[in-house]
């Protein structure tokens, strides 16, 4: 009898690509004419991206540059939780925390979708910030992957450990 095939549903940020996107955005802000002498600054500090500028419009434009570079580097914007610019003294600041991992409630939503609409042979199991999906049939797993990918979630999903 063949062993069950499985894969994990995760929501992880590729840190290398995120660093590259932030570095490209910093370089673009430093060289673009419309950002000259505006005090615009972008930093990646732990689990958040900090953006500073002297006007609200410049702060939003710097955030757009960051988003553009993230898209080009293949980092999902669903990992970014950017708020509105906040005035701090004479500087507008945007703190954009990074979201990583699948919360238990989101994992339950995915598990319910798989249970209700997926192939009957597929089983799910929540493991921390991941969801393990197992089945005897690889075809059922591939159908389940497609269904999860098309789910329209408000968080990014990736598939790992396909065996």
């Amino acid at each position: 009898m063949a062993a069950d095939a499985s894969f994990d549903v995760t929501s992880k940020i590729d840190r290398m690509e995120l660093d590259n996107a932030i570095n490209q955005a910093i370089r673009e802000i430093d060289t673009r004419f419309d950002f000259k002498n505006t005090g615009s600054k972008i930093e990646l500090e732990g689990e958040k991206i900090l953006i500073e500028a002297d006007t609200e419009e410049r702060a939003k434009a710097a955030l757009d540059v960051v988003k553009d570079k993230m898209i080009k580097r293949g980092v999902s914007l669903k990992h970014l939780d950017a708020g509105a610019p906040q005035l701090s003294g004479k500087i507008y600041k945007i703190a954009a925390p990074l979201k990583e991992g699948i919360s238990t409630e989101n994992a339950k939503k995915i598990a319910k979708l798989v249970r209700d609409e997926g192939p009957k042979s597929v089983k799910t199991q929540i493991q921390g910030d991941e969801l393990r999906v197992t089945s005897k049939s690889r075809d059922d797993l591939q159908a389940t992957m497609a269904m999860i990918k098309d789910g329209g979630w408000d968080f990014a999903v990736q598939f790992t450990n396909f065996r």
Side-chain angles (χ1 to χ4, degrees):
M1 188 108 188
D4 285 356
S6 68
F7 67 88
D8 293 336
V9 181
T10 62
S11 182
K12 299 239 186 292
I13 300 172
D14 185 346
R15 290 293 175 173
M16 260 316 184
E17 291 298 333
L18 180 66
D19 284 343
N20 289 339
I22 297 299
N23 290 335
Q24 286 178 347
I26 291 169
R27 240 186 339 267
E28 182 167 329
I29 294 259
D30 288 344
T31 57
R32 259 178 54 177
F33 178 76
D34 57 339
F35 282 106
K36 288 279 189 220
N37 302 322
T38 61
S40 299
K41 193 165 80 169
I42 300 170
E43 291 179 23
L44 177 62
E45 196 173 279
E47 290 297 310
K48 67 171 98 169
I49 298 171
L50 299 172
I51 298 171
E52 295 180 359
D54 58 357
T55 66
E56 187 173 356
E57 290 76 28
R58 286 278 170 254
K60 288 180 181 176
L63 179 62
D64 288 342
V65 170
V66 170
K67 287 180 178 180
D68 183 46
K69 297 303 177 188
M70 284 176 68
I71 290 169
K72 285 185 178 173
R73 300 299 303 191
V75 180
S76 174
L77 292 182
K78 292 179 180 179
H79 291 298
L80 192 64
D81 189 18
Q86 302 292 322
L87 184 60
S88 173
K90 294 181 176 179
I91 297 173
Y92 282 88
K93 295 182 177 185
I94 298 176
L98 299 169
K99 298 184 291 187
E100 196 170 28
I102 298 176
S103 68
T104 305
E105 67 184 46
N106 287 335
K108 287 180 181 177
K109 287 179 190 174
I110 294 174
K112 182 175 178 359
L113 174 77
V114 170
R115 190 172 52 249
D116 293 347
E117 299 178 22
K120 296 300 171 208
S121 68
V122 176
K123 305 275 184 269
T124 59
Q125 180 182 6
I126 298 172
Q127 297 179 333
D129 63 350
E130 298 182 342
L131 180 74
R132 166 106 2 123
V133 181
T134 58
S135 174
K136 293 203 181 300
S137 166
R138 287 183 178 261
D139 293 339
D140 286 351
L141 286 180
Q142 288 179 335
T144 304
M145 276 180 158
M147 183 179 60
I148 291 171
K149 194 180 288 183
D150 296 337
W153 311 104
D154 59 348
F155 53 93
V157 293
Q158 291 97 25
F159 304 106
T160 58
N161 292 338
F162 191 81
R163 0 185 143 132

